[in-house]
Amino acid sequence: MEVQEDNPYWTINNNKFKDQVNRILGNVYASYDVLPWLNITDRVGIDQYGDDRKQNYAITSATAKPGQVIYDDYFFQSLNNDLIATLSHKLTKSLNGTLLLGNNFYDEKYHHENSTGSTLIIPNFYDLGNTSAQTTYSTSYVIRKKAYFAQAKFDYKNFLFIDAGIRAENSSAFVSPLTP
């Protein structure tokens, strides 16, 4: 069985693909010395985008005979937050100690919708209403993670160092089933 492919120059002019992406990335950081031995730090970050796509295949395309229209809509968002308290103290003349206490929160959302129309009725009119068969599906998920952590550091005469840390996390994930 021979695989047929369209001429690249023909594809550029007849099998159009349009993509519109809107994205925002950002973060904020704040740190404050509440007392000479206590610092509070908070970091917040976001990554969010929407991606709308439309792919057309001409009736005479070897890729998708007899024509096809595909719409895809993607949404993604992740939020991240770290809140940290740092306590530092000179315990004795030779011994310094630092205690770090914090929590982390992470939230991620994703959603994808697809609509595909096959078999164009009128050539060069790329709309789902101009197709004889349509299929749709969507999928989504949400992930949430929380963590609490602590770290103790000691140094003796800035020569001998001991560190210990602990972290506890929990996570949840919610996934929607594919809906044909």
Side-chain angles (χ1 to χ4, degrees), residues 13-173:
N13 293 308
N14 294 284
N15 293 340
K16 301 286 184 172
F17 178 77
K18 292 181 183 177
D19 187 24
Q20 175 69 41
V21 178
N22 294 307
R23 186 170 207 158
I24 182 171
L25 291 165
N27 60 62
V28 176
Y29 171 91
S31 185
Y32 182 68
D33 290 326
V34 178
L35 297 166
W37 52 270
L38 175 62
N39 175 275
I40 304 290
T41 301
D42 193 26
R43 296 183 298 235
V44 179
I46 185 171
D47 179 5
Q48 177 178 309
Y49 68 84
D51 185 357
D52 296 324
R53 302 176 185 178
K54 182 180 180 185
Q55 174 75 59
N56 301 331
Y57 291 98
I59 286 178
T60 55
S61 172
T63 306
K65 284 184 181 177
Q68 194 174 56
V69 180
I70 302 170
Y71 292 98
D72 282 300
D73 184 20
Y74 296 89
F75 173 80
F76 174 84
Q77 179 185 66
S78 73
L79 298 168
N80 192 55
N81 179 253
D82 291 305
L83 179 62
I84 302 167
T86 306
L87 299 85
S88 300
H89 191 67
K90 189 168 189 80
L91 303 170
T92 68
K93 182 179 169 185
S94 303
L95 184 64
N96 295 309
T98 302
L99 178 64
L100 184 138
L101 302 170
N103 76 332
N104 171 261
F105 175 75
Y106 178 79
D107 183 79
E108 182 177 301
K109 296 174 184 163
Y110 173 84
H111 183 74
H112 173 220
E113 291 183 7
N114 172 278
S115 299
T116 301
S118 300
T119 310
L120 291 176
I121 299 166
I122 301 169
N124 301 320
F125 178 55
Y126 299 102
D127 187 85
L128 288 175
N130 184 41
T131 59
S132 62
Q134 298 85 29
T135 58
T136 62
Y137 71 87
S138 67
T139 185
S140 299
Y141 69 79
V142 176
I143 297 173
R144 291 195 174 107
K145 298 178 184 179
K146 290 187 294 186
Y148 301 95
F149 52 91
Q151 182 177 22
K153 297 180 181 184
F154 298 96
D155 75 84
Y156 178 74
K157 293 187 178 183
N158 206 20
F159 172 74
L160 178 64
F161 300 92
I162 298 176
D163 290 5
I166 189 168
R167 183 177 175 101
E169 292 192 33
N170 85 10
S171 176
S172 62

